[in-house]
Amino acid sequence: MAALLQLDQITIRFGGLTAVSEVTATVQTGELVGLIGPNGAGKTTVFNMITGVYQPSGGRIQFRGRSTAGLRPFEITELGIARTFQNIRLFPSLSVFDNVRVAFHLHLKHAAIHSLSRGPKFHAEEEELREATLGLLKIFNLERVQNEPAKSLPYGDQRRLEIIRALATRPQLLLLDEPAAGMNPAEKVELMRLIQFIRDQFQLAILLVEHDMKVVMGVCQRIHVLEYGRKIAEGTPQQIRANPAVIAAYLGQESTAA
């Protein structure tokens, strides 16, 4: 069975610097996979290649058996890949509701003429969009603040809102870039539950970049490890904990007992 996402020896160079070198990895349908490594290992760069922000200098990326070469970010989103960012990128002055609503517009079907005329098809689809937005917010217990500006939310809720907005694009693969960054221990425990809930509730695959090893080891089924742009290991959390190369490069001796 073909992988949902296949990275085949992807490489990217910026001038004389090779940021990612011949990385091969897969994500299967419904799988929860981690991508870890020290700062500067190339993790977010891999995300940027998957989502079309950067085009690889070499190698191939396939999603659902289709090459993504030359596709722009919005086209890759249309294929079924959504992402969050290490630094939250909400529309801060828009309401919580509108931050999610705008992502649903990716799937609007009415023609431009219906938007201009505000005809029955336009109103019917806009009502469906409103109900879908409220439904997502309710699942994540944010309907109570739907009219508040996104910037007014506590940090943890802003993180959740960014994930909700990504889910509104109806992805088959969700890329989470350091979702635990800036969270306190209690919020990280809740995040772990949230990630597993999202995978199960929405029946999608998740690729997670994260520095917090308790989060990674607690939710991921498989983990890929990068160092200096190269993949140095792949395996289950148990295998990664015990891998000498990973311990030397990243985890440290204390993590082997985690």
Side-chain angles (χ1 to χ4, degrees):
M1 180 177 174
L4 179 69
L5 176 72
Q6 173 74 51
L7 311 181
D8 185 13
Q9 295 190 319
I10 60 170
T11 297
I12 189 166
R13 302 180 185 88
F14 300 102
L17 172 67
T18 301
V20 174
S21 180
E22 298 183 344
V23 168
T24 294
T26 62
V27 178
Q28 303 292 337
T29 300
E31 195 175 23
L32 212 167
V33 179
L35 181 64
I36 68 171
N39 287 330
K43 305 179 297 296
T44 296
T45 302
V46 169
F47 268 24
N48 285 335
M49 285 191 282
I50 294 171
T51 55
V53 176
Y54 301 147
Q55 291 294 318
S57 306
R60 182 177 62 173
I61 299 173
Q62 288 186 301
F63 181 67
R64 296 163 56 195
R66 174 181 172 180
S67 172
T68 63
L71 296 182
R72 291 172 289 180
F74 79 88
E75 293 172 316
I76 290 176
T77 302
E78 289 175 344
L79 283 182
I81 300 177
R83 73 173 293 182
T84 65
F85 294 86
Q86 183 176 347
N87 299 314
I88 295 174
R89 296 188 187 179
L90 296 170
F91 301 111
S93 297
L94 289 183
S95 69
V96 168
F97 180 91
D98 284 338
N99 264 273
V100 178
R101 183 178 182 272
V102 72
F104 272 115
H105 275 273
L106 178 70
H107 299 286
L108 284 179
K109 299 181 180 65
H110 61 247
I113 187 65
H114 297 304
S115 299
L116 293 172
S117 65
R118 293 296 196 268
K121 288 185 178 180
F122 170 83
H123 288 293
E125 195 162 21
E126 286 293 317
E127 179 59 22
E128 289 179 12
L129 186 150
R130 187 189 75 83
E131 291 180 0
T133 299
L134 286 175
L136 260 186
L137 290 173
K138 191 169 185 177
I139 288 172
F140 294 93
N141 198 30
L142 286 182
E143 80 280 4
R144 69 193 189 285
V145 293
Q146 62 178 287
N147 296 319
E148 299 296 322
K151 64 184 177 184
S152 72
L153 296 184
Y155 184 85
D157 283 347
Q158 288 191 37
R159 280 283 180 195
R160 282 200 294 162
L161 180 57
E162 190 177 38
I163 293 172
I164 295 167
R165 187 179 61 182
L167 291 172
T169 67
R170 298 170 183 164
Q172 294 182 40
L173 173 64
L174 177 62
L175 311 182
L176 299 178
D177 194 352
E178 296 199 31
M183 289 187 173
N184 62 42
E187 288 172 331
K188 288 177 182 178
V189 171
E190 178 57 32
L191 175 68
M192 291 168 66
R193 295 194 191 102
L194 179 64
I195 290 171
Q196 292 172 318
F197 169 80
I198 289 168
R199 194 271 305 270
D200 296 339
Q201 176 74 17
F202 295 92
Q203 298 184 334
L204 46 73
I206 296 175
L207 181 59
L208 169 70
V209 163
E210 183 52 64
H211 280 293
D212 190 298
M213 286 300 98
K214 287 186 178 179
V215 174
V216 173
M217 298 294 179
V219 301
C220 293
Q221 297 165 284
R222 284 192 304 118
I223 300 169
H224 300 283
V225 187
L226 299 183
E227 183 185 25
Y228 300 117
R230 292 183 176 273
K231 192 170 88 171
I232 62 170
E234 173 188 350
T236 66
Q238 293 76 17
Q239 291 168 331
I240 294 301
R241 281 193 189 102
N243 187 300
V246 178
I247 293 169
Y250 188 45
L251 293 180
Q253 293 298 330
E254 293 181 1
S255 294
T256 62

